[in-house]
C-alpha cells in the first residue's frame, strides 16, 4: 500500500497534521462546519479543560464513522473535498467524443477503479507478469533488475530511491538512497516487546500467510513463506533509523560518492539499479543511513535466493492489494485497517477510488478543483494574513530576551527570506507521458507510479524548482519545507473552519492565522532552526543562544512527554517537539497579529465572548477530533504531532494571554506552573 505517497521524502515536510493513512470518509458531507457559540460545552470550566470546553460537544456529536480510525474537523473538510472530486471524476468518466486529454486520464482512471466486475473477472491475472519475472531470477546478482521493476510499480522493496534537496547545497537536487522494504509502518513495530506489539506481529505474520493462500499457495507453504517474510523484514529493520532520529537532519545526511556507496554493499550492484530505474548519471548522492545499506548487504547474504523470491512476491501482492479482487482488498483491510488502526468497516468503493485518483493524478484533478472552488479573493486575503503573521513573528523575535543581536539579525534574514505558495501551483505538472487505459485499474496505478518516479528522478542533477508542489491543491494540510525555506497553503485548507470570509478577525486569526504562524515557526523549531535562509544545513546560531534555545525547547519536550496518549502510553516528547514548538509559537504570533488589527479599539463581544476568547476558540475548534485507541497507539510511534487535545491544552496552558482572556485562577489546570516559551 502506498501510504504517504508524495510525503515520502528523506526529511519529512513539517506538516500541520499527519496525512490520513487511508483517505476514508463517512457517508454524508457536512453541510456547515462554521464555528458557533452553541458548540461550547458550558458545563465545563474553560480554565479546567479548555479542549473539553471547546470540543466536548462536537466530540460527542461526531463519533468516529465505522469506516474511519479517526474523525476530526480536518476530516469534515477533506470529506467535502471528496464529494467535489467525485463530481469532477464522474463527469470526466463519460466516454464521449471531444473529451480533453486530461478528462480522458482522470475519467478512465476512475471508471476503471469503479468497475468492480472487471476487477473480479481479471482476478490475479494483472499480477502474473510480476510473479513470472520474480520466478525467473536465477541468482542474487539479478536482484537489482527485479527491484527496478518493482519500485517502478510502487512496491516498497529492500530500500528506497528518490531525489531530494542537497541539505548543504539546497539549490541542487541530488539522488538519495533511503531505508525501506518493510510491510509494517515503521521499524519499531518489529522490535517493541510490550504485549500489544508482540500480538500485532503475530497478526501480521498471519495476514502475510493469508495473502499467500489467496494467491493459491497451500496453507502449510503459506505459513512457512510468511515466516520468511517476517525474518527478512525484521533483519532489514535492524539497520533502519527510528522516527525520532529521522527528525535530526545531521543523522539523515551522508553525502557519499557512488564508489563509497558500492563499498557499503559490494554485491548489490547499485550502478545496475540506477541505470535500470532511469536515473540520470551522478557521482555523489545522499545515503540517508549508511548502516542500513551495510546491513542490507548482510541480510541479502544471509538468506537464500528462494527466500528473497518469497519476499518479493509478498511485496508485489501487498502493493497491489487495493486494486485486486475483493478477497484481497478485504484481507488487506482486515490487518491494516481493522487491526492496526481500529477501523470497523472498509470505506465505500467510490471513496477509495477518489483517494487513489487523488494520489495518482492529483495535479490533473487539482486544476479542475481549483477552478471550481478557489477564487482570486481567497489568495489575496491569505497573502495579507501571511504578511501580518510574518510581521508579528518578526516583532516576537526582536522582543525575546534570550537571544543576542547577532542571532536575532540572522533570524530576521531567514524570516524575510521565507517564500509563500498559496492555493495552487503556478505551473502544473505535465502528465502527458502517462497512459491511462480504461478497464485496467491495477495497470493504471502502476503506470502512474512509474510516471511519478520518473518525474522525481529526472530532477537529479538539476537546480531546485520552487514552483513544484509537494501535494495536490485539494489537500487539507499546510507545510513548511526547511530545505526550501518556504510555506505551502493549498486551496483545500483555506476554508471553514480554518478560514471563513463571513467570520470576525478573532476566529480567522485563531484558525488559519495560527496555522500560518505554526508553519512560520517551523523555520525556527529544533529541526528548522538548523537550516539557514537559503535552506542549507548550516549552524547560524551563536553557541550561547543555541544553549538558551535548547533549554527552552527542553521545557516543551518535558511538558508534552507527560501527556497520556492512550492507556498508559505517553507522548514522545522528542518526536513531537518541533510540532509542539510550532503550535506554541504559532498561536502566540497569531494572537499578536490579531491585537494589531484592533488599532487600540477592542472589538465588541460576539455571543457574549470577547475577541480574545473567540481567538482561542477559533484555535481549539480546528483540533476537535475522535480517534480509536489503536490509532492513538500507532501515532505515538509514527506521528510527530500531538493529539488534538494536547495541541490545544498544552499550548494555551503556556500562555498568560489565555489565562487573562478567561480569567483563570493562578492554580487552574490550564495554567502551567512551569510555563514553557520558546517563541
Ligand atoms: Zn507542523
Amino acid at each position: 500500500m502506498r501510504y504517504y505517497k508524495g510525503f515520502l521524502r528523506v526529511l519529512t515536510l513539517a506538516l500541520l497534521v499527519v496525512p490520513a493513512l487511508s483517505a476514508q470518509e463517512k457517508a454524508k458531507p457536512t453541510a456547515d462546519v462554521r464555528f458557533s457559540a452553541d458548540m461550547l460545552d458550558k458545563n465545563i470550566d474553560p480554565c479546567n479543560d479548555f479542549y473539553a470546553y471547546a470540543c466536548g460537544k462536537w466530540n460527542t456529536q461526531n463519533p468516529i464513522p465505522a469506516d474511519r480510525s479517526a474523525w476530526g474537523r480536518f476530516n469534515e473538510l477533506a470529506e467535502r473535498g471528496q464529494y467535489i472530486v467525485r463530481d469532477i471524476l464522474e463527469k470526466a468518466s463519460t466516454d464521449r467524443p471531444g473529451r480533453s486529454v486530461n478528462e480522458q486520464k482522470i475519467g478512465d482512471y476512475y471508471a476503471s477503479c469503479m468497475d468492480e466486475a472487471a476487477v473480479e473477472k481479471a482476478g490475479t491475472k494483472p499480477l502474473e507478469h510480476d510473479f513470472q519475472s520474480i520466478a525467473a531470477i536465477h541468482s542474487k546478482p539479478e536482484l537489482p533488475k527485479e527491484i527496478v521493476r518493482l519500485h517502478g510499480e510502487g512496491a516498497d522493496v529492500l530500500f528506497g530511491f528518490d531525489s531530494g534537496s542537497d541539505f548543504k547545497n539546497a539549490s541542487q537536487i541530488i539522488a538519495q538512497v533511503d531505508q525501506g522494504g518493510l510491510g509494517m509502518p515503521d521499524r519499531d513495530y518489529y522490535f517493541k516487546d510490550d504485549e500489544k506489539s508482540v500480538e500485532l506481529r503475530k497478526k501480521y505474520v498471519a495476514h502475510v500467510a493469508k495473502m499467500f493462500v489467496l494467491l493459491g499457495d497451500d496453507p502449510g507453504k503459506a505459513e512457512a513463506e510468511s515466516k520468511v517474510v517476517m525474518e527478512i523484514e525484521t533483519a532489514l529493520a535492524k539497520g533502519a533509523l527510528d522516527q525520532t532520529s529521522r527528525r535530526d537532519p545531521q543523522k539523515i545526511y551522508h553525502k557519499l560518492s557512488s564508489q563509497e556507496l558500492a563499498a557499503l554493499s559490494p554485491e548489490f550492484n547499485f550502478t545496475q539499479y540506477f541505470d535500470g530505474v532511469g536515473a540520470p548519471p551522478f557521482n555523489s548522492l545522499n545515503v540517508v543511513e549508511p548502516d542500513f545499506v551495510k546491513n542490507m548487504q548482510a541480510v541479502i547474504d544471509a538468506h537464500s535466493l528462494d527466500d528473497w523470491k518469497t519476499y518479493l512476491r509478498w511485496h508485489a501482492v501487498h502493493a497491489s492489494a487495493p486494486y485486486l479482487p475483493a478477497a484481497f482488498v478485504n484481507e488487506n483491510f482486515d490487518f491494516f485497517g481493522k487491526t492496526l488502526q481500529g477501523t470497523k468497516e472498509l470505506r465505500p468503493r467510490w471513496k477509495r477510488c477518489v483517494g487513489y485518483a487523488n494520489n495518482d493524478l492529483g495535479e490533473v484533478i487539482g486544476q479542475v478543483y481549483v477552478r471550481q472552488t478557489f477564487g482570486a479573493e481567497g489568495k489575496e486575503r491569505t497573502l495579507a494574513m501571511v504578511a501580518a503573521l510574518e510581521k508579528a513573528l518578526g516583532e516576537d523575535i526582536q522582543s525575546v530576551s534570550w537571544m543576542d543581536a547577532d542571532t536575532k539579525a540572522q533570524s530576521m534574514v531567514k524570516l524575510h527570506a521565507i517564500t509563500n505558495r498559496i492555493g495552487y501551483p503556478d505551473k502544473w505538472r505535465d502528465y502527458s507521458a502517462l497512459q491511462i487505459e480504461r478497464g485496467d485499474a491495477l495497470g493504471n496505478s502502476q503506470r502512474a507510479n512509474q510516471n511519478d518516479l520518473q518525474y522525481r528522478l529526472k530532477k537529479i542533477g538539476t537546480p531546485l524548482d520552487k514552483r513544484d508542489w509537494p501535494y495536490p491543491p485539494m489537500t487539507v494540510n499546510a507545510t513548511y519545507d526547511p530545505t526550501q525555506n518556504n510555506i505551502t497553503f493549498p486551496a483545500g485548507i483555506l476554508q471553514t473552519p480554518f478560514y471563513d470570509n463571513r467570520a470576525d478577525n478573532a476566529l480567522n486569526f485563531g484558525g488559519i492565522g495560527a496555522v500560518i504562524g505554526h508553519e512560520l515557526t517551523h523555520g525556527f523549531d529544533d529541526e528548522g532552526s538548523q537550516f539557514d535562509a537559503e535552506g542549507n544545513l548550516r549552524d547560524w546560531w551563536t553557541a550561547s543562544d543555541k544553549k538558551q534555545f535548547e533549554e527552552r525547547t527542553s521545557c516543551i519536550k518535558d511538558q508534552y512527554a507527560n501527556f497520556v496518549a492512550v492507556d498508559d502510553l505517553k507522548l514522545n516528547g522528542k518526536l513531537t517537539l518541533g510540532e509542539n514548538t510550532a503550535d506554541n509559537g504559532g498561536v502566540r504570533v497569531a494572537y499578536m497579529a490579531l491585537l494589531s488589527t484592533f488599532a487600540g479599539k477592542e472589538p465588541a463581544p460576539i455571543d457574549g465572548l470577547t475577541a480574545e476568547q473567540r481567538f482561542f476558540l477559533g484555535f481549539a475548534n480546528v483540533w476537535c477530533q475522535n480517534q480509536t485507541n489503536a490509532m492513538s497507539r500507532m501515532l505515538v510511534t509514527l506521528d510527530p504531532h500531538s493529539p488534538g487535545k494536547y495541541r490545544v491544552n498544552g499550548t494555551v496552558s503556556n500562555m498568560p494571554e489565555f489565562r487573562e482572556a478567561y480569567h483563570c485562577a493562578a492554580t487552574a489546570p490550564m495554567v502551567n506552573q512551569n510555563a514553557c516559551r520558546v517563541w
Side-chain angles (χ1 to χ4, degrees):
M1 277 262 247
R2 281 181 264 130
Y3 290 138
Y4 292 106
K5 184 174 167 183
F7 297 97
L8 249 182
R9 44 181 57 218
V10 164
L11 189 70
T12 314
L13 286 177
L15 292 153
L16 188 65
V17 285
V18 68
L21 287 171
S22 44
Q24 47 216 1
E25 308 296 342
K26 71 174 182 182
K28 275 189 195 148
T30 319
D32 199 348
V33 293
R34 295 182 69 191
F35 170 80
S36 88
D38 297 341
M39 296 167 70
L40 303 176
D41 190 340
K42 302 269 170 55
N43 297 319
I44 291 186
D45 179 353
C47 297
N48 277 343
D49 185 343
F50 188 58
Y51 177 78
Y53 170 70
C55 290
K57 234 172 158 179
W58 187 94
N59 287 354
T60 312
Q61 288 165 3
N62 294 274
I64 308 167
D67 63 356
R68 295 203 61 111
S69 54
W71 188 250
R73 309 221 65 195
F74 272 77
N75 309 104
E76 286 182 330
L77 188 47
E79 164 158 288
R80 280 189 289 161
Q82 279 228 320
Y83 280 83
I84 296 169
V85 171
R86 175 171 72 169
D87 201 43
I88 293 168
L89 294 174
E90 277 181 350
K91 277 192 188 118
S93 69
T94 315
D95 194 359
R96 60 180 192 280
R99 270 199 305 177
S100 71
V101 175
N102 278 350
E103 281 172 331
Q104 183 275 323
K105 286 196 204 306
I106 60 176
D108 286 353
Y109 183 100
Y110 183 68
S112 310
C113 184
M114 287 301 289
D115 191 349
E116 208 171 350
V119 170
E120 290 297 327
K121 194 164 163 243
T124 55
K125 220 179 283 159
L127 275 180
E128 256 160 39
H129 69 282
D130 273 335
F131 296 147
Q132 280 163 11
S133 181
I134 292 166
I137 306 174
H138 291 108
S139 65
K140 287 184 186 174
E142 288 173 34
L143 280 173
K145 202 174 118 223
E146 192 55 26
I147 306 290
V148 162
R149 224 179 45 74
L150 289 165
H151 278 178
E153 290 178 358
D156 177 11
V157 282
L158 209 52
F159 61 90
F161 182 59
D162 210 330
S163 63
S165 288
D166 184 343
F167 286 7
K168 295 202 172 166
N169 181 15
S171 61
Q172 282 298 310
I173 300 296
I174 55 171
Q176 52 199 24
V177 164
D178 201 352
Q179 64 194 41
L182 308 181
M184 284 198 283
D186 182 67
R187 54 100 60 205
D188 284 0
Y189 279 80
Y190 294 84
F191 305 116
K192 280 195 290 190
D193 54 10
D194 60 282
E195 205 182 306
K196 284 211 162 67
S197 302
V198 173
E199 186 63 27
L200 204 56
R201 280 198 288 278
K202 276 189 198 146
K203 287 182 175 165
Y204 176 62
V205 174
H207 162 66
V208 175
K210 281 181 201 157
M211 292 292 271
F212 279 120
V213 169
L214 288 176
L215 286 177
D217 297 355
D218 74 60
K221 185 175 175 229
E223 204 191 316
E225 287 170 325
S226 68
K227 286 191 178 127
V228 166
V229 167
M230 191 59 172
E231 270 172 35
I232 290 184
E233 289 188 357
T234 307
L236 286 174
K238 271 190 189 125
L241 284 175
D242 62 44
Q243 294 301 325
T244 304
S245 302
R246 287 179 69 85
R247 285 196 64 252
D248 181 350
Q250 304 285 355
K251 287 190 182 158
I252 54 172
Y253 180 74
H254 301 93
K255 205 164 169 189
L256 304 185
S257 67
S258 306
Q259 289 82 359
E260 286 168 319
L261 170 66
L264 289 174
S265 188
E267 276 145 70
F268 183 88
N269 191 334
F270 269 106
T271 309
Q272 195 191 342
Y273 170 84
F274 295 141
D275 289 346
V277 80
F282 56 84
N283 298 320
S284 62
L285 74 165
N286 180 20
V287 179
V288 174
E289 170 54 346
D291 282 347
F292 178 85
V293 179
K294 223 194 266 177
N295 179 61
M296 181 187 99
Q297 177 68 65
V299 184
I300 294 175
D301 292 343
H303 290 267
S304 69
L305 183 61
D306 277 346
D307 283 358
W308 281 103
K309 290 183 179 182
T310 299
Y311 167 84
L312 296 178
R313 194 158 156 259
W314 149 246
H315 275 282
V317 68
H318 173 55
S320 309
Y323 308 90
L324 292 174
F328 290 87
V329 172
N330 293 337
E331 176 51 39
N332 188 62
F333 171 75
D334 199 62
F335 180 76
F336 287 98
K338 255 187 203 160
T339 303
L340 206 57
Q341 299 182 34
T343 316
K344 293 194 182 85
E345 280 171 21
L346 183 68
R347 69 198 152 128
R349 190 169 190 94
W350 76 262
K351 292 183 178 181
R352 284 177 274 146
C353 290
V354 164
Y356 304 149
N358 275 341
N359 259 344
D360 282 339
L361 290 156
E363 283 201 22
V364 184
I365 298 167
Q367 293 176 40
V368 192
Y369 173 87
V370 162
R371 266 203 305 276
Q372 286 185 10
T373 63
F374 195 67
E377 196 200 338
K379 193 159 184 161
E380 269 166 40
R381 290 190 64 159
T382 310
L383 278 168
M385 284 192 87
V386 171
L389 265 294
E390 279 178 357
K391 191 163 162 275
L393 181 55
E395 285 162 11
D396 179 55
I397 288 170
Q398 295 295 354
S399 74
V400 294
S401 57
W402 52 269
M403 254 177 155
D404 70 19
D406 264 9
T407 317
K408 277 186 183 175
Q410 295 263 11
S411 299
M412 293 306 284
V413 170
K414 179 163 183 181
L415 175 64
H416 290 139
I418 294 177
T419 51
N420 311 305
R421 298 189 291 205
I422 311 284
Y424 54 92
D426 292 330
K427 180 196 79 172
W428 293 101
R429 232 182 97 174
D430 174 17
Y431 287 83
S432 55
L434 172 59
Q435 230 185 317
I436 298 296
E437 285 168 26
R438 204 165 177 113
D440 186 12
L442 178 59
N444 288 338
S445 165
Q446 291 178 338
R447 281 187 294 276
N449 195 79
Q450 179 65 260
N451 185 63
D452 216 44
L453 183 63
Q454 294 309 317
Y455 166 78
R456 298 198 310 271
L457 296 187
K458 229 183 251 161
K459 294 172 195 270
I460 293 170
T462 68
L464 169 73
D465 187 343
K466 285 193 177 185
R467 293 173 303 171
D468 294 335
W469 275 49
Y471 43 77
M474 48 281 189
T475 311
V476 184
N477 217 329
T479 42
Y480 171 78
D481 185 339
T483 65
Q484 300 189 13
N485 197 26
N486 64 6
I487 53 179
T488 304
F489 290 91
I493 198 173
L494 298 171
Q495 306 174 53
T496 51
F498 292 93
Y499 174 73
D500 185 348
N501 256 333
R502 304 157 296 180
D504 58 320
N505 271 338
L507 278 186
N508 281 336
F509 276 84
I512 198 74
V515 173
I516 296 168
H518 171 106
E519 299 308 335
L520 291 172
T521 307
H522 270 314
F524 305 90
D525 71 15
D526 60 316
E527 182 182 82
S529 64
Q530 299 184 52
F531 294 84
D532 67 12
E534 278 79 47
N536 289 312
L537 184 59
R538 178 178 71 83
D539 193 3
W540 47 274
W541 292 69
T542 61
S544 64
D545 283 353
K546 192 84 194 182
K547 197 165 158 272
Q548 293 274 353
F549 175 77
E550 278 162 5
E551 267 170 33
R552 278 163 174 77
T553 51
S554 138
C555 177
I556 290 193
K557 189 182 78 190
D558 296 342
Q559 180 194 5
Y560 285 77
N562 267 314
F563 292 143
V564 175
V566 55
D567 303 332
D568 56 346
L569 199 59
K570 288 186 174 172
L571 296 185
N572 178 340
K574 206 170 169 201
L575 176 64
T576 58
L577 176 57
E579 295 301 333
N580 298 332
T581 304
D583 280 343
N584 278 269
V587 174
R588 183 178 307 279
V589 295
Y591 188 83
M592 289 168 65
L594 172 68
L595 293 191
S596 74
T597 67
F598 294 175
K601 194 168 171 285
E602 172 80 22
I606 299 174
D607 297 332
L609 297 161
T610 66
E612 287 83 354
Q613 290 173 333
R614 289 170 66 78
F615 168 86
F616 287 109
L617 288 170
F619 166 62
N621 188 233
V622 302
W623 298 115
C624 302
Q625 61 173 201
N626 287 305
Q627 211 158 267
T628 64
N629 285 351
M631 190 65 176
S632 299
R633 195 163 275 281
M634 174 166 157
L635 292 182
V636 167
T637 306
L638 291 184
D639 190 359
H641 306 87
S642 300
K645 177 180 173 181
Y646 300 119
R647 294 190 81 153
V648 174
N649 287 353
T651 303
V652 301
S653 67
N654 284 328
M655 293 180 73
E657 297 89 342
F658 172 80
R659 192 189 149 188
E660 205 178 302
Y662 281 94
H663 314 292
C664 299
T667 51
M670 288 295 100
V671 179
N672 183 0
Q673 298 307 317
N674 177 32
C676 305
R677 176 171 176 184
V678 182
W679 299 109

